[in-house]
Amino acid sequence: MCGLVGYIGQKSVSDVLVQLLERLEYRGYDSAGIALNENGKLILEKSQGLLVNLCNKIENKHFSATSGIGHTRWATHGKPNERNAHPHISENGQVALVHNGIIENYNKLKNELKDIKFISETDTEVVVQLLGKYITKKSDENHILQQIARVCEMIKGSYAFAIMVAHIPNKIFFAKKGSPLIIGCGKGENFLASDIPALLPFTNNIIYVKDGEMGEISAEQIKIFDFKLKQKNNIIKKINLSPEQVMLGNYSTFMEKEIAQGSYAMQNTLEHIIKDRTFYKIKKTKFQDLSMMSSNIHIVACGTALHAGMLAKYVLEKECRVGVSLDYASEFRYKKPLINKKSICIFISQSGETADTIASLELAKKCGAYCVAITNVITSRISSLADFVIPTYAGPEIAVASTKAYVAQITALYALIEFVAKLNNKKIKYNSNDIFGVVKTVENWSAKLLWHDLIKDICTKESIYFVGRGVDFYLVKEGALKLTEISYIHAEAFAGGELKHGSLALINEEAIVIVLLTQKDLIDKTLNAIAEIKTRGATVILISQFEYLKNCAQHFILLPKVKDILMPFVAIKPLQELAFLCAKEKNLNPDKPRNLAKSVTVE
Ligand code: F6R
């Protein structure tokens, strides 16, 4: 949540900052702002709303500065307006700062600054005002670093900061704890950013700033220290990604592109798991005895990642006969979970940054559990905390709604289940080759045209209902989340057998119910649910690979056929496409749904 950037070099800094921010807008888009150092004076430009508003504001302004910092915000403390937008500046105009994270003790720190008139309602401003108090016009670089370290030691919470000091125009300072921060190393120029996509058009040489590190960049130099000001080595890594991978290409939105990349995410993830012999280093003893494992496996995640976990729990229990518990990370962290040294905890997170998932992982570690992370960002905090990491290779996911990362997560989970089964001589209904076999089917098929005549009707509704049984229930839960999230249509998923226990009360002639039916052994039961719905006069859209069921509903979407157990890889696509098409129909930007941001780094 929130993206920050910094640039120092020879180019026109406002242009570069805007380009950097464009690729971080997925982290928040309530407001945007930049601070430039114009000949020893800090100039701030901010705007409410999308980055484009800031661009329009500064379009005809000509800055000579070659160093600056920028920010795109997802509001936590204080309304999303210009006043609360970052950068913030100290009362004496000496220090400007952008921040990603949360300052938990900001109220207490404010007591130190009774004589300062605060301008914003943010938690961040207290940091810049403290720095403004300690850094004077006479402060040299060393003194500035000392004051930044001093303030960092005072803060409780998480942060990545980029900081400018008026009388030092040739330096940008930074510090990090808990929120992501990377340095891009260029020739005669250097960068700061919250994430790699921002930097790709400029450089592939990256330094990952670690928690408890701070430092300074100039056009020629990068210096990293710990908070005791002991200098650290610069470890530069070459990132194997091209700028095209974070550009739209022929697509109009990232969500559309990323849905289409689902098959690539599957293939790439599985290929890596096999080529890298991912499970080679896992603690095999933990997974060896199913009777011991039973009730000792815990899956923890949020949102879409949790839906991937729900599916995995179902398949693991059904195929390997081993009990799995599952929790929202936000619940797990406060419920005194029943875990101990024998437990295996699996944390699923696309970003690897989600605050609740991180806190749950830390708790599980404290209890002695063996912690496995499934994440799309190998360098994330979750990766660094886990005992074992299963990386997904979906590529950078930019749209706020997760699509290809979900497909990559279920691929990794299916591979893990296959590994557990092999280790325990358990015969299951699929193997990796079968999953590879599904890749082309997913790639070559799309339901976009099949939805065509239905979208308008769906978009007139305030609520849409989804129904499924078995794995289909977990898939429709994800379908409902996607639809809610980007089209703002209230959507709910019901387990087929549960309808008559309450939710059937909602079904009338006006209702549209989308039923997913991909499991042969659940056909009859699901047909019962359809009958119950149709009897109440509702419209049913049935999605299934069983063509002979075509006339069981008013509308039918035929899925390509693969083994029942692998149908989730196919069936998720039309659900994602439905959400996308509804957002388009309603003229909404599916990449940037209101009130949301990609990485939820706050509680
Ligand atoms: C929904 C969505 C969110 C995330 C959730 C967890 O489309 O993207 O529900 O799945 O915020 O995020 P990660 O996986 O990054 O931990």
Side-chain angles (χ1 to χ4, degrees), residues 302-306 348-354 357 382 397 400-403 409 478 481-482 485 597-600:
C302 303
T304 290
L306 188 82
I348 311 167
S349 174
Q350 187 285 128
S351 63
E353 279 186 54
T354 304
T357 314
I382 282 176
E397 193 176 62
V400 164
S402 186
T403 53
Q409 285 159 358
E478 174 56 11
L481 175 65
K482 279 303 83 104
E485 188 179 10
K598 184 98 188 124
S599 312
V600 186

Side-chain angles (χ1 to χ4, degrees), residues 29 40 75 120 164 182 188 214 245 306 370 430 451 499 553-554:
Y29 32 84
S120 77
M164 299 195 77
I182 55 175
M214 56 180 290
Q245 279 174 278
L306 188 82
Y370 183 66
Y430 69 91
W451 282 119
L499 280 174
Q554 292 92 327

Side-chain angles (χ1 to χ4, degrees), residues 347-385:
F347 299 89
I348 311 167
S349 174
Q350 187 285 128
S351 63
E353 279 186 54
T354 304
D356 284 325
T357 314
I358 292 173
S360 300
L361 203 163
E362 284 170 337
L363 173 64
K365 276 193 90 168
K366 249 191 218 153
C367 299
Y370 183 66
C371 295
V372 176
I374 297 182
T375 178
N376 204 34
V377 183
I378 307 177
T379 50
S380 62
R381 182 138 169 81
I382 282 176
S383 299
S384 67
L385 290 171

Side-chain angles (χ1 to χ4, degrees), residues 465-480:
Y465 307 111
F466 289 83
V467 167
R469 293 185 81 117
V471 292
D472 294 335
F473 175 51
Y474 305 114
L475 288 161
V476 291
K477 275 183 95 60
E478 174 56 11

